[in-house]
């Protein structure tokens, strides 16, 4: 009689399965869900999603900002309202259609790939990415970020957020989110080398803002690109 395979309790397997399901769900939503994306995030996270995203504004210099993977354009709208000259780029037509409706403009919203940015060199004071997919870690993306940033420009990434401010009626939703994302308390910041480029100096930070905890990466474009002899 053959022995039945035992169920694995290896947390790495569970984590890998969770990431696979996350990627599949987010890819589908991002590709086809432009109209429901903002209402869905509001349903799941309440106002926390917007607060986590806005946590990086304090680190941005005034001027022009490029939002990588701008989605529905809601953050572009917020940046413009605060006096920035905000541009957005996304590869999904569903998202850009919604972004153009929301912002009422087409001029600063571009369909494209973060690995091949259709902008001239040194034209932005800051680049941002909020809750991005793994494209943000690719060397080609970082090369392009460095190319379009002015020396001294800021690159800011919001990776994740959590809040202790969950009203009683929203706690069932929080339990569902914990099944999808895992327990935030157990998640450690990525290794410092995850976002690594010779022309970017930065670090991971855990921001505590009231009941919120936000994991961000804040970096600066150096004046010159270091070369390895």
């Amino acid at each position: 009689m053959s022995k039945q395979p035992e169920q694995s309790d290896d947390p790495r397997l569970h984590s890998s399965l969770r990431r696979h399901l996350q990627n599949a769900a987010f890819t589908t939503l991002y590709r086809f869900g432009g109209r429901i994306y903002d209402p869905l995030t509001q349903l799941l996270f309440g106002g926390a999603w917007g607060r986590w995203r806005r946590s990086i504004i304090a680190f941005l210099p005034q001027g022009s900002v490029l939002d990588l993977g701008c989605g529905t354009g809601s953050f572009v709208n917020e940046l413009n309202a605060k006096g920035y000259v905000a541009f957005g780029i996304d590869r999904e037509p569903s998202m850009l259609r919604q972004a153009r409706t929301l912002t009422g403009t087409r001029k600063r919203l571009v369909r494209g790939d973060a690995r091949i940015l259709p902008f001239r060199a040194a034209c932005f004071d800051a680049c941002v990415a909020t809750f991005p997919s793994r494209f943000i870690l690719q060397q080609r993306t970082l090369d392009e970020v460095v190319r379009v940033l002015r020396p001294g420009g800021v690159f800011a990434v919001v990776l994740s957020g959590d809040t202790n401010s969950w009203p009683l009626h929203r706690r069932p939703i929080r339990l569902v989110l914990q099944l999808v994302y895992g327990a935030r308390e157990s998640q450690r910041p990525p290794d410092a080398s995850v976002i690594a480029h010779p022309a970017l100096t930065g670090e991971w930070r855990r921001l505590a803002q009231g009941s919120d905890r936000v994991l961000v990466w804040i970096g600066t474009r150096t004046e010159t690109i270091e070369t390895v002899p």
Side-chain angles (χ1 to χ4, degrees):
M1 180 181 295
S2 61
K3 183 180 180 181
Q4 295 296 319
E6 296 180 357
Q7 183 175 358
S8 173
D9 291 324
D10 188 340
R12 292 174 298 180
L13 177 60
H14 298 165
S15 178
S16 177
L17 178 59
R18 180 181 289 118
R19 285 196 299 270
H20 178 75
L21 293 175
Q22 286 176 11
N23 290 338
F26 293 152
T27 297
T28 302
L29 174 62
Y30 212 76
R31 184 166 296 172
F32 304 108
R35 291 186 178 182
I36 67 170
Y37 188 85
D38 286 339
L40 183 60
T41 55
Q42 180 65 28
L43 171 67
L44 295 178
F45 300 97
W49 186 272
R51 294 195 306 269
W52 300 337
R53 188 170 56 188
R54 288 191 292 272
S55 67
I56 58 173
I57 293 179
F59 299 96
L60 305 180
Q62 280 296 325
S64 56
V65 181
L66 175 62
D67 186 2
L68 302 173
C70 66
T72 63
S74 55
F75 196 41
V76 170
N77 253 3
E78 291 188 63
L79 291 169
N80 283 328
K82 291 184 175 296
Y84 292 93
V85 180
F87 291 72
I89 185 168
D90 205 290
R91 63 188 300 176
E92 294 298 340
S94 171
M95 289 293 171
L96 284 177
R97 282 194 297 270
Q98 191 67 13
R100 287 163 180 161
T101 299
L102 180 66
T103 63
T105 182
R106 300 177 63 93
K107 293 181 179 179
R108 298 181 188 170
L109 298 169
V110 180
R111 186 183 180 194
D113 193 318
R115 298 168 298 180
I116 316 172
L117 293 175
F119 302 101
R120 60 181 174 81
C123 64
F124 290 105
D125 297 293
C127 285
V128 299
T130 58
F131 310 105
S133 60
R134 295 187 64 83
F135 78 88
I136 204 66
L137 306 179
Q138 297 179 7
Q139 190 65 42
R140 290 173 61 189
T141 300
L142 298 178
D143 286 341
E144 284 292 271
V145 168
V146 166
R147 183 182 65 80
V148 301
L149 273 179
R150 297 186 177 104
V154 171
F155 182 36
V157 179
V158 180
L159 186 66
S160 65
D162 192 18
T163 182
N164 293 323
S165 179
W166 285 85
L168 185 61
H169 70 278
R170 295 186 56 81
R171 290 181 183 176
I173 296 178
R174 187 184 194 188
L175 293 176
V176 173
L177 292 174
Q178 287 178 341
L179 291 175
V180 174
Y181 290 101
R184 293 296 186 188
E185 297 80 8
S186 65
Q187 293 185 3
R188 299 178 180 178
D191 187 84
S193 64
V194 167
I195 297 181
H197 193 282
L200 289 172
T201 59
E203 62 180 357
W204 292 101
R205 304 186 188 188
R206 283 197 179 278
L207 306 180
Q209 300 179 335
S211 60
D212 294 334
R213 300 293 182 272
V214 191
L215 179 59
V216 303
W217 191 88
I218 306 295
T220 303
R221 163 72 153 88
T222 59
E223 295 292 329
T224 58
I225 299 178
E226 298 178 6
T227 58
V228 178

